[in-house]
Each structure stands twice: as C-alpha cells, then as structure tokens.
C-alpha cells in the first residue's frame, strides 16, 4: 500500500476491522464471565448447545423421578403407620378371644361384654382401612391403584377401573348405548356416484354457477375442478371429498360420498362434545334459477345441516356383583367417580355385553422412579377391611368381620381367624418395608448419583472455565487497546502527504 494515497486509507480500514473483531471477542468474554455460561446462545457452540440441552432435560427429569421415589417412601410410611395400629387392634382382639374361651373367669354376661369390645375394635379397624389416605388416595381399602388387565382387547381398548367396595376378578362390560360421531348428510340417493358432478345431481345448476361450502364456519377450498375455490359445474363429489380430506386437521371432520347414497360429513371423534355444521352458500347464479336448498338435503328442505355426537353409556359388573352404571364418560370412555373408567374400541362401540372383558385385581400402586417409559416400581396393597381379612380359616367365620366370642366355641374358632388376620397384616407391613428399602430408597440414592454425574457432564459443556476465560478476557482487552491505538495512528498517515505538497 502506498502511503502517498489519501482516497483509501487501507491501514485504517485494517485497524478498524481488527478493532471490530477484538471488540466482539471482548464482548463474548464479558458475557461468559458475567453469566457463568460458556454457551449463551446457539451461535456460541451449536452442537454443544444441543447436547447440553438434552443433558439438562435428563437432569430435570431425574429431579422429578427422585422426588417421586421420596414421595413414594412417604406414602409407604403412611400405610405402614396405619397398619401398625391395625396390628395392635387385632392383637387386642386375640387377647379378648383367649379370655372369652376360658370358663375360669367368664360368664355369659362377661363374654357379651368382651364381644362388645371386639365389635368396637372391628369398627375401628374398618375405619382405619377406609380412611387411611395419602394425597387423596385411599391406601388400605383395596382400591389403591387397582390393577387392570384387559382380556377382551377386541372390544375394550383400555381400563382404569377401581374396585372400591367390589370384589376382584373378571369384569363384564354391558354397552347400553353406542357413542356416535356428529354427522351431517345429504338426502338419501342424492349422490349418483362419487365420480358424478355435483351439478349433475341438481336440477337447476348451470355452467358458471358457483356454490361455497362451509364446514363449522370454515370455507372448504375446492381446488380440483372448482371455480375460485368454490364448487362449480365440473366439480365431482370426489373432488369435494378430497378437498375436505386435505383440510381435515383444520376442519376436524371427514367426508364420504356413497354411490347411490349420500354425501356425509362426520366429526373425527365421538361424543357429545363433537359438533358438525355444513352450510352451502350460493356464490354465482348464472341462470338465476338455482335452488340452493337442493344442494345438501333435497329440494324444499333446510339449507343448513348441523348435528352433535353422543356419548357411550353402559354398566360394569365386578365378579358377579350387581351392575354399576358408568355415567360420567365422554365419547368412547365410560367412567364413574368411584369405580374409575374404561375406553371402548370401535368394535366395542355397539350395544351388547362383553363378558370377562377386564380382570380387576386389588391393590397395586405404580411409582415412576426413572426418567424413561417403563421405569416404574409396583407394590400390591391388599384390602385391610375386616371383611377381607382372615378368610378361608373357618366355615363359621368367613372373615374377621364375622367373629363372635360370646361363646366358648365361638371364641375358640375365632382364634384361628384372628391369627390369620395378624399374619396377613404383618406380612403386608413386611412387604411394604422391603419395597420401601429395596426399591424406593435404593432407587432414590441411585438417582442422586446419576443426577450428579449428568450435571457434571452438562457443566463441562456449558459452564464457563473462569481461569481460561479470564486469560481470554485479558488478551482481548490488550488487543482492544492496541487496535484503538493503531487506528489513531493509521488515521494520521494521510497527513504525511502534506509534506510532499509543501515541498
């Protein structure tokens, strides 16, 4: 570069470019040092950002999974505390039965008194079973996380039934009313074939006529054989069906044209919350004699068509029990606030009885203790109601609820029933304790280690290395000062040309 040129100061331009680069470099260092992050935007490190965001998501999920495990521990402790009281009550009942079985210190009147004490203990035991809850979920009445196995997948898509006061076993499903889609259709035999033009099936539709179709208030844009996006004299029924299909997601409907039948529009889903309205509007009438009412539902009938869907109705029968109506569902789902819900398949959405459709088993809780699908832990908690404890020991006393110690014979027979109830409650407590220790608490510790390692990995990618960055910051500062200084000097170089002029 000749320093005798004054039109272009290349030295100054070079200094300006380097000053800009050093300024950006300094700003990046300031941003990293002030935020503590090496990656503040995708431009800093695109691949690093992608990896670190994935690691962040996993760290966040691990926090939630660890919280789930700890909450599961609290749930188990709640149940175990109630079972401890239940154990104490059943032991008292055994002492009462032992006392009543002896003639040495009892009369009929005293045994009646002992029976009253036992009945009070039974009432309290049932109260514990029915009222022990965690987060609104009952734990000891047999309804905690009822396990559902669908046996008839042809008719039942899924089930989340709750046993509540019903017996576990096979569940019959009786559909009394099928769910329906919202459907609007033309008059019968309005469609000759799908390939027939719309105009051919109307008596007064001439060349140049146009009809606009609106579904749920949104215009259907007919592009193939249409006129200005409207239905024209060359538009076939299939063209209209294709146009609706192309806009299916926005319209929320499907359309069909049946040869020798009807043109119909139906909602995508089932249920009373589904609605469909179809309106045909005359856009252009070249002959002045088109009767628009013919277009949808036949001459002389309504121009508008509207319809709402319907919800399925039905009952369930738990293991031979009485029929229970599920009245709170929507669409293909039947539900009840007490007994849960089930969802029918399309094949099951017909009036009929689907026997042994679901197997409902009492007492299984599910805990999501990992960050991926399927990483769950399950724990079965049987019903601790007196009517469900001590079964199968004595033909006279079918369960703990039936024991009577008002006689010597009754007190003797009651001991076996009570002993089985003690064993059942004790085994349940042991199972809960093992589940708490071996699965929930162990998994919580494992999750803590995994979180620590993932956080370290994310930090290595995304966080600022202050030692390295301070060195970069210092270098950038010096270069900024040098660039500024030499820009000043390079801007003064053209002044040297004056010495040549003066000479």
């Amino acid at each position: 570069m000749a320093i005798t040129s004054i039109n272009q100061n290349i030295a100054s331009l070079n200094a300006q470019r380097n000053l800009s680069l050093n300024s950006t470099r300094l700003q990046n260092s300031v941003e990293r040092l002030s935020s503590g992050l090496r990656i503040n935007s995708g431009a800093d490190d695109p691949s690093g950002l992608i990896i670190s965001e994935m690691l962040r998501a996993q760290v966040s999920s691990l926090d939630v999974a660890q919280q789930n495990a700890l909450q599961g521990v609290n749930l188990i402790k709640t149940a175990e505390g109630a079972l401890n009281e239940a154990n104490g009550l059943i032991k008292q009942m055994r002492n009462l039965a032992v006392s009543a079985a002896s003639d040495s210190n009892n009369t009929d009147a005293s045994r009646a008194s002992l029976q009253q004490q036992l009945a009070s203990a039974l009432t309290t035991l049932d109260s514990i079973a029915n009222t022990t809850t965690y987060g609104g979920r009952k734990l000891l009445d047999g309804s905690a996380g009822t396990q559902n196995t669908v046996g008839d997948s042809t008719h039942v898509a899924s089930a989340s039934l709750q046993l509540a006061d019903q017996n576990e076993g096979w569940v019959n499903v009786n559909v009394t009313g099928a769910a329906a889609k919202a459907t609007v259709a033309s008059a019968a035999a309005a469609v000759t074939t799908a390939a027939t033009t719309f105009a051919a099936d109307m008596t007064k539709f001439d060349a140049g006529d146009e009809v606009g179709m609106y579904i749920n208030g949104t215009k259907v844009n007919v592009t193939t054989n249409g006129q200005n996006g409207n239905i024209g004299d060359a538009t076939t029924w299939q063209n209209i069906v294709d146009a609706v299909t192309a806009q299916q997601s926005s319209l929320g409907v499907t359309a069909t044209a049946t040869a020798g039948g009807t043109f119909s529009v139906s909602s995508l889903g089932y249920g009373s919350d589904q609605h469909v309205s179809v309106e045909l509007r005359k856009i252009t009438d070249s002959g002045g004699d088109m009767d628009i009412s013919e277009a949808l539902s036949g001459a002389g009938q309504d121009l508008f068509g509207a319809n709402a869907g319907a919800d399925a109705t039905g009952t369930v029968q738990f293991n031979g029990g009485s029929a229970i109506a599920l009245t709170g569902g929507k669409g293909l789902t039947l539900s009840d606030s007490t007994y849960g819900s089930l969802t029918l398949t399309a094949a099951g959405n017909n009036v009929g009885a689907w026997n042994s459709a679901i197997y409902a088993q009492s007492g299984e809780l599910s805990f999501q203790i990992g960050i991926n699908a399927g990483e769950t832990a399950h724990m079965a908690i049987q019903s601790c109601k007196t009517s469900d404890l001590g079964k199968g020991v004595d033909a006279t006393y079918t369960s703990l609820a039936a024991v009577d110690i008002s006689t010597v014979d009754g007190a003797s027979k009651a001991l076996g029933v009570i002993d089985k109830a003690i064993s059942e409650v004790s085994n349940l407590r042991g199972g809960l304790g093992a589940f708490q220790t071996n699965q929930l608490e162990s998994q919580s510790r494992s999750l803590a280690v995994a979180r620590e390692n993932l956080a370290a990995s994310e930090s290595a990618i995304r966080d600022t290395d202050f030692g390295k960055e301070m060195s970069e910051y210092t270098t950038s500062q010096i270069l900024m000062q040098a660039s500024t200084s030499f820009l000043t000097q390079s801007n003064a170089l053209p002044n040297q040309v004056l010495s040549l002029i003066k000479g």
Side-chain angles (χ1 to χ4, degrees), residues 3-230:
I3 64 172
T4 56
S5 173
I6 62 173
N7 287 325
Q8 296 291 339
N9 190 341
I10 304 304
S12 175
L13 294 175
N14 183 275
Q16 291 177 48
R17 178 174 60 81
N18 284 290
L19 178 61
S20 177
L21 291 174
N22 292 328
S23 176
T24 300
R25 185 176 175 183
L26 182 63
Q27 289 173 5
N28 288 338
S29 290
V30 170
E31 184 179 26
R32 290 167 182 165
L33 290 169
S34 61
S35 67
L37 297 174
R38 184 182 70 86
I39 303 175
N40 290 282
S41 66
D44 293 335
D45 185 352
S47 61
L49 176 69
I50 294 171
I51 295 171
S52 66
E53 285 295 341
M54 293 176 62
L55 291 172
R56 271 191 178 183
Q58 292 183 32
V59 169
S60 178
S61 295
L62 282 170
D63 287 337
V64 176
Q66 188 174 13
Q67 185 180 28
N68 287 346
L70 294 176
Q71 288 177 345
V73 169
N74 292 332
L75 183 150
I76 297 300
K77 287 182 177 179
T78 300
E80 206 278 332
L83 290 172
N84 182 45
E85 291 298 321
N87 250 148
L89 284 169
I90 301 174
K91 288 176 185 177
Q92 290 180 30
M93 292 166 61
R94 194 181 198 287
N95 292 338
L96 293 172
V98 169
S99 178
S102 176
D103 278 329
S104 62
N105 55 351
N106 283 298
T107 63
D108 289 342
S110 62
R111 285 194 181 92
S113 177
L114 292 174
Q115 175 60 27
Q116 287 183 341
Q117 294 182 53
L118 186 141
S120 176
L122 288 172
T123 300
T124 303
L125 191 58
D126 275 333
S127 177
I128 291 174
N130 287 319
T131 60
T132 300
T133 60
Y134 182 87
R137 178 189 290 276
K138 292 184 178 182
L139 301 179
L140 303 178
D141 68 342
S143 66
T146 301
Q147 180 181 7
N148 291 263
T149 302
V150 176
D152 183 1
S153 58
T154 300
H155 298 107
V156 178
S158 63
S160 299
L161 296 175
Q162 298 294 329
L163 285 173
D165 56 354
Q166 300 297 305
N167 294 323
E168 66 180 10
W170 287 105
V171 180
N172 298 333
V173 177
N174 182 31
V175 180
T176 57
K181 295 181 177 181
T183 301
V184 174
S186 66
V191 178
T192 301
T193 68
T196 303
T197 63
F198 177 88
D201 284 334
M202 292 181 64
T203 59
K204 296 179 180 179
F205 196 104
D206 304 314
D209 289 349
E210 294 181 42
V211 170
M213 175 176 284
Y214 293 78
I215 297 178
N216 292 334
T218 300
K219 184 180 178 182
V220 178
N221 186 27
V222 181
T223 56
T224 304
N225 289 331
Q227 295 174 206
N228 304 311
N230 301 310

Side-chain angles (χ1 to χ4, degrees), residues 92-445:
Q92 290 180 30
M93 292 166 61
R94 194 181 198 287
N95 292 338
L96 293 172
V98 169
S99 178
S102 176
D103 278 329
S104 62
N105 55 351
N106 283 298
T107 63
D108 289 342
S110 62
R111 285 194 181 92
S113 177
L114 292 174
Q115 175 60 27
Q116 287 183 341
Q117 294 182 53
L118 186 141
S120 176
L122 288 172
T123 300
T124 303
L125 191 58
D126 275 333
S127 177
I128 291 174
N130 287 319
T131 60
T132 300
T133 60
Y134 182 87
R137 178 189 290 276
K138 292 184 178 182
L139 301 179
L140 303 178
D141 68 342
S143 66
T146 301
Q147 180 181 7
N148 291 263
T149 302
V150 176
D152 183 1
S153 58
T154 300
H155 298 107
V156 178
S158 63
S160 299
L161 296 175
Q162 298 294 329
L163 285 173
D165 56 354
Q166 300 297 305
N167 294 323
E168 66 180 10
W170 287 105
V171 180
N172 298 333
V173 177
N174 182 31
V175 180
T176 57
K181 295 181 177 181
T183 301
V184 174
S186 66
V191 178
T192 301
T193 68
T196 303
T197 63
F198 177 88
D201 284 334
M202 292 181 64
T203 59
K204 296 179 180 179
F205 196 104
D206 304 314
D209 289 349
E210 294 181 42
V211 170
M213 175 176 284
Y214 293 78
I215 297 178
N216 292 334
T218 300
K219 184 180 178 182
V220 178
N221 186 27
V222 181
T223 56
T224 304
N225 289 331
Q227 295 174 206
N228 304 311
N230 301 310
I231 299 170
D233 59 290
T235 305
T236 66
W237 289 105
Q238 188 61 51
N239 295 151
I240 301 172
V241 170
D242 292 342
V244 174
T245 302
Q247 300 174 63
Q248 178 175 294
S249 59
S250 60
L251 296 173
V253 299
T254 58
T256 59
T258 306
T262 64
F263 169 75
S264 63
V265 178
S266 299
S267 60
L268 295 176
Y270 292 84
S272 58
D273 58 347
Q274 300 294 313
H275 301 275
V276 170
S277 66
V278 178
E279 178 187 359
L280 294 176
R281 300 177 187 174
K282 187 188 317 184
I283 306 299
T284 302
D285 185 0
S286 61
D289 58 354
M290 179 170 57
D291 183 0
I292 191 65
S293 66
E294 295 179 349
L296 178 64
S297 54
Q301 296 188 28
D302 291 338
L303 171 63
F304 296 93
N307 184 251
D311 301 318
T313 58
T315 64
V316 291
Q317 186 181 25
F318 289 85
N319 196 21
S322 58
I324 299 169
L326 304 183
T327 59
K330 290 291 184 184
L332 295 174
T333 298
L334 304 172
S335 70
D336 179 82
S337 58
T338 300
Y339 298 103
S341 65
L342 63 93
T343 301
L344 301 170
T345 63
N349 185 37
N350 290 288
V351 174
W354 320 127
N355 295 327
S356 301
I358 306 161
Y359 190 84
Q361 184 176 359
S362 65
E364 182 172 274
L365 294 170
S366 178
F367 302 88
Q368 179 70 34
I369 55 175
I371 63 174
N372 300 311
E375 295 180 352
T376 57
H378 304 273
M379 178 65 201
I381 302 180
Q382 70 186 69
S383 170
C384 291
K385 296 177 182 177
T386 57
S387 58
D388 294 318
L389 294 174
K391 288 184 174 182
V393 175
D394 186 86
T396 302
Y397 301 142
T398 55
S399 68
L400 185 63
V403 297
D404 187 336
I405 59 173
S406 58
T407 64
V408 172
D409 183 60
S412 297
K413 291 180 178 179
L415 288 173
V417 177
I418 294 172
D419 283 345
K420 184 176 182 184
I422 291 174
S423 175
E424 289 172 336
V425 173
S426 298
N427 288 339
L428 178 56
R429 290 181 65 188
L432 288 172
F435 180 76
Q436 174 185 329
T437 301
N438 298 331
Q439 294 202 51
L440 297 182
E441 292 181 346
S442 176
Q443 182 67 11
S444 178
R445 292 191 293 270

